[in-house]
Amino acid sequence: MKYWFVIGLIFLNLMLVKGLSASELFDDNLNQIEKLLQTDVTQAESMIDSMLSTLDQLTPQQAARFYTLTSIKHLYSAEHQLADKALDTALSFTPSEEVLTQIYLYKVTVNILLKDYEKAFSILQFNLSRIKEFEDTQLKVASYVRLLNILLDLTAYDEMLSTAKLVLNLNQGKDSKNECYAMLYHAVATLKLTQYSQANSLFKQSEVYCAENGQPLIEAMSIKGQGISYFELDKYAVAKPLLEDALERYEGFKFQIEINDVKAYLSKIYFYEGNFDKAQQYAEELNGLNEEKINIDVKKQANEVLAMLASKNGDFGKAYQHQVVAHALDLQALNEVNHKQNAYQMARFTSAEKERENQSLLQEHEIMMQQKDLILKEKSSSIMFSTLLFGVCVGLGLLLLTAWFQRNKFRQQAQRDGLTGIFNRKTGQDLAENELVNVLSQSSQYSVLILDLDHFKTINDRFGHATGDWTLKKVTHVVQDIIRPTDIFCRLGGEEFAVYFPHTDELTALKVAESIRHEIEQINTKYSGHNFSISVSGGVSSLDKDDLSVDPILKRADIALYKSKKTGRNKVLAYQPSFE
């Protein structure tokens, strides 16, 4: 430590001679520490220790960054409490938005490792809502990369795969570190979804890219991933050297969690290859780990190997005991995953409810202000009328003008559906009739789609009206994203909607309707706080030569909708005379 401190002082003097300020030197040191944490943890620790005596010379931003890097060092050593304390210290220095985002992301990781899932996911939701206000894509990318790690921990592999692809699309190689992580998680998700050959190819790509871009830790993870892929394909001879290579690299980082995981796989491979002494050495080492929840999986695997070794030696009683322990640890791990998933969904549901409550309060406040404004205007008009008799005509004119504006405002509100914000039935049909007149004058085409949510009453009965309202709003957003601005979208009532397509033939309207049906079917309902499926049935009809209003078109679309419902739901049909 003294050696590094002396080197630091010499380096400081040399840099000052070259004209660099002490502040610039500290920035250089912090940049070097950040890089060394990815390549040489021992040297990074020495540099961190050497900077401890100069903390009072750091700017608040540099101090925040220093303690953030210190927390990463503690994470590698599985010192989770110390890592959390370092991040709290970093927060006390009012860091920049970029460093603050990084701190929040590491706070999520630390709290997951400490098994405080509610706190972890609350921080995650807060940070995701916070960065929505930023236009900096890289801040979003960094948050999504941290989210990938959480989705892995939750075993949400499908969502993890789609998020990894999103990060790769957003990043476009701009940040090599985040690109490496995204490539790695893409491969891991593919592996967890049991697509082993494809995963192996993706791990190889991430290994090559991360090696070329100076990310040796992620390179080691990619090598480990290839080893596990071959292990799952029962190619133990190919898997062993890869896992041994990964183990050696992890030991250089002192990355104890990964070291234990690799040893768990190697102990099984050694057993299958007949190297029983080595298999027993690793299995007993892992079984001797403490009872922290982070060690559950490797201890389970270790007991499986010890059971196989005992069985091979004819000690079936001992083999049975190890199997019982392995089974108990497996149940404990499953309960832990369920706990995490419930906490994650609750955090998301709470966040959504808070946002909804805030929107409701804002709407109520706006209505109150409108009412107050109206009362003040009426009072002002009354006083003016009674006290200024000679200005009756002027006062009356002002009152009428005020009433006219107010009437227009309330009329606009009356045109909209209170829950979804789209046109209500009457307004939608009035606008549709006006558009039909234009279509008829131009001898153009006109189509109508009626949509009805399948089993909507069941959703309300099972999960409550709040979930039903969420469903209606979500469906509305999906439809609005697909249709054109010139199309007329309205709620007919309950769970029934209509879309009027001016200047659109029946085939085109049917294609749009099918797109809407497909996208609604893909809605992820777990963000509502429950898991259920949403589907719609639809009917399409187009303008006939004898039609003079929207009513007959709407009626035929309704007949087609009834046919869709009757023949199995979750489909869209175009009207045929045979339906009647």
Side-chain angles (χ1 to χ4, degrees):
M1 179 176 173
K2 292 181 179 178
Y3 173 73
W4 279 105
F5 178 64
V6 172
I7 289 178
L9 289 176
I10 295 173
F11 186 60
L12 174 60
N13 290 329
L14 287 173
M15 298 305 286
L16 290 173
V17 169
K18 290 182 178 181
L20 285 178
S21 68
S23 180
E24 290 173 327
L25 174 61
F26 291 139
D27 282 333
D28 288 341
N29 286 345
L30 291 170
N31 290 336
Q32 189 173 357
I33 290 172
E34 185 170 9
K35 185 175 181 180
L36 286 171
L37 283 169
Q38 297 294 322
T39 56
D40 190 335
V41 176
T42 301
Q43 191 175 348
E45 290 176 345
S46 298
M47 286 197 69
I48 289 173
D49 292 340
S50 70
M51 286 190 68
L52 289 173
S53 60
T54 61
L55 289 180
D56 57 342
Q57 301 176 41
L58 301 181
T59 66
Q61 295 302 321
Q62 289 170 336
R65 193 176 170 203
F66 172 81
Y67 282 106
T68 303
L69 295 173
T70 301
S71 75
I72 299 173
K73 180 199 75 169
H74 290 312
L75 276 174
Y76 284 155
S77 302
E79 298 168 335
H80 306 139
Q81 295 284 359
L82 292 176
D84 193 40
K85 185 177 180 181
L87 291 170
D88 286 337
T89 305
L91 283 172
S92 69
F93 288 97
T94 316
S96 65
E97 294 293 353
E98 182 178 359
V99 176
L100 183 62
T101 299
Q102 189 178 25
I103 292 171
Y104 281 140
L105 296 176
Y106 281 113
K107 287 282 285 183
V108 173
T109 298
V110 168
N111 279 283
I112 286 178
L113 294 171
L114 291 172
K115 308 305 174 186
D116 192 346
Y117 304 123
E118 288 81 1
K119 184 176 180 181
F121 300 142
S122 294
I123 295 172
L124 177 69
Q125 288 299 319
F126 170 75
N127 191 52
L128 286 174
S129 62
R130 172 179 156 270
I131 65 170
K132 284 180 182 177
E133 306 299 324
F134 301 155
E135 294 184 1
D136 189 340
T137 302
Q138 290 309 307
L139 282 179
K140 294 182 179 180
V141 166
S143 288
Y144 287 136
V145 166
R146 186 60 54 192
L147 176 61
L148 284 168
N149 187 53
I150 294 164
L151 294 173
L152 173 62
D153 208 34
L154 294 171
T155 68
Y157 303 130
D158 287 314
E159 192 172 348
M160 180 183 171
L161 183 64
S162 61
T163 304
K165 292 178 180 179
L166 172 63
V167 172
L168 291 169
N169 186 49
L170 286 173
N171 191 52
Q172 295 289 320
K174 294 174 184 175
D175 185 306
S176 61
K177 181 180 177 181
N178 285 330
E179 189 80 4
C180 281
Y181 275 119
M183 293 177 71
L184 176 70
Y185 283 120
H186 185 194
V188 171
T190 306
L191 173 70
K192 295 296 185 180
L193 292 170
T194 69
Q195 300 171 23
Y196 302 125
S197 298
Q198 184 182 352
N200 196 294
S201 176
L202 292 171
F203 278 123
K204 185 62 182 177
Q205 292 174 28
S206 65
E207 177 198 354
V208 173
Y209 179 87
C210 298
E212 291 174 349
N213 287 275
Q215 299 293 335
L217 178 58
I218 312 176
E219 180 187 356
M221 292 177 174
S222 301
I223 294 171
K224 173 196 171 187
Q226 293 175 66
I228 295 175
S229 299
Y230 282 121
F231 176 88
E232 297 294 348
L233 292 168
D234 297 332
K235 297 181 179 180
Y236 305 127
V238 185
K240 184 175 74 171
L242 288 166
L243 291 170
E244 289 175 336
D245 183 12
L247 177 61
E248 184 178 352
R249 292 169 185 259
Y250 282 136
E251 287 173 340
F253 284 98
K254 301 179 182 179
F255 204 159
Q256 198 57 49
I257 296 173
E258 289 292 328
I259 290 171
N260 294 340
D261 194 44
V262 173
K263 284 184 176 180
Y265 280 100
L266 283 173
S267 66
K268 289 185 177 181
I269 291 176
Y270 290 141
F271 177 84
Y272 296 143
E273 290 190 341
N275 190 347
F276 304 122
D277 291 338
K278 195 71 173 179
Q280 184 152 2
Q281 175 191 338
Y282 277 170
E284 289 180 347
E285 177 185 337
L286 296 174
N287 195 37
L289 293 172
N290 59 40
E291 300 301 320
E292 289 186 18
K293 294 179 181 178
I294 199 168
N295 296 324
I296 290 176
D297 187 62
V298 293
K299 286 175 70 72
K300 181 202 78 171
Q301 294 186 65
N303 274 277
E304 289 173 348
V305 173
L306 291 172
M308 292 188 294
L309 287 165
S311 179
K312 180 190 71 69
N313 294 327
D315 192 346
F316 301 111
K318 191 173 182 181
Y320 175 74
Q321 291 175 358
H322 283 300
Q323 283 289 5
V324 170
V325 172
H327 179 67
L329 290 168
D330 194 34
L331 290 177
Q332 188 177 350
L334 181 61
N335 289 335
E336 195 67 24
V337 170
N338 290 335
H339 184 192
K340 283 184 278 191
Q341 289 176 336
N342 290 336
Y344 181 59
Q345 295 303 331
M346 182 57 68
R348 283 206 154 178
F349 180 71
T350 301
S351 176
E353 285 300 302
K354 284 182 179 178
E355 185 174 349
R356 178 178 173 180
E357 183 179 344
N358 288 337
Q359 288 296 327
S360 177
L361 289 172
L362 286 173
Q363 290 176 357
E364 290 177 6
H365 177 72
E366 185 178 352
I367 292 172
M368 287 176 62
M369 292 303 295
Q370 290 174 352
Q371 291 174 342
K372 184 178 179 181
D373 185 51
L374 180 59
I375 292 171
L376 288 173
K377 287 178 180 179
E378 288 177 348
K379 184 178 180 180
S380 176
S381 298
S382 176
I383 294 172
M384 184 182 297
F385 182 78
S386 62
T387 59
L388 300 175
L389 186 59
F390 65 89
V392 169
C393 293
V394 176
L396 183 59
L398 290 174
L399 185 61
L400 290 173
L401 185 63
T402 300
W404 182 79
F405 280 120
Q406 199 68 34
R407 184 194 64 182
N408 285 347
K409 183 183 293 185
F410 286 129
R411 180 166 54 183
Q412 184 179 7
Q413 291 176 349
Q415 291 175 341
R416 298 284 175 175
D417 175 59
L419 176 65
T420 62
I422 62 176
F423 291 122
N424 57 29
R425 181 188 189 113
K426 182 180 183 306
T427 304
Q429 192 156 353
D430 288 345
L431 293 173
E433 292 286 2
N434 292 337
E435 284 296 327
L436 181 60
V437 172
N438 293 331
V439 167
L440 291 172
S441 67
Q442 299 175 36
S443 300
S444 186
Q445 297 172 327
Y446 195 100
S447 296
V448 175
L449 163 66
I450 297 182
L451 293 169
D452 188 274
L453 270 69
D454 298 328
H455 305 298
F456 181 72
K457 185 177 183 301
T458 303
I459 296 174
N460 272 332
D461 292 343
R462 287 185 61 195
F463 307 115
H465 290 284
T467 303
D469 290 349
W470 180 92
T471 303
L472 291 171
K473 289 181 180 179
K474 194 68 179 175
V475 168
T476 300
H477 293 157
V478 169
V479 177
Q480 286 177 318
D481 288 342
I482 295 175
I483 64 176
R484 304 169 301 184
T486 54
D487 298 329
I488 301 165
F489 182 30
C490 69
R491 184 180 178 188
L492 298 179
E495 66 272 23
E496 196 172 43
F497 301 84
V499 185
Y500 300 93
F501 299 102
H503 306 287
T504 305
D505 60 30
E506 186 177 87
L507 182 59
T508 303
L510 191 61
K511 289 180 179 178
V512 175
E514 180 59 29
S515 297
I516 291 172
R517 184 204 64 78
H518 175 74
E519 288 301 318
I520 289 173
E521 191 179 26
Q522 301 304 311
I523 291 175
N524 193 338
T525 59
K526 69 180 181 181
Y527 300 125
S528 71
H530 305 282
N531 280 315
F532 58 94
S533 61
I534 303 175
S535 66
V536 293
S537 300
V540 174
S541 179
S542 60
L543 178 66
D544 192 67
K545 62 180 180 178
D546 296 324
D547 294 333
L548 297 177
S549 72
V550 171
D551 286 335
I553 313 175
L554 201 60
K555 181 180 179 181
R556 292 195 296 273
D558 195 48
I559 292 171
L561 168 64
Y562 177 78
K563 187 70 173 179
S564 298
K565 288 279 190 182
K566 189 175 181 181
T567 55
R569 294 186 172 88
N570 194 19
K571 65 174 67 174
V572 179
L573 296 176
Y575 169 80
Q576 300 291 335
S578 60
F579 291 173
E580 296 191 64

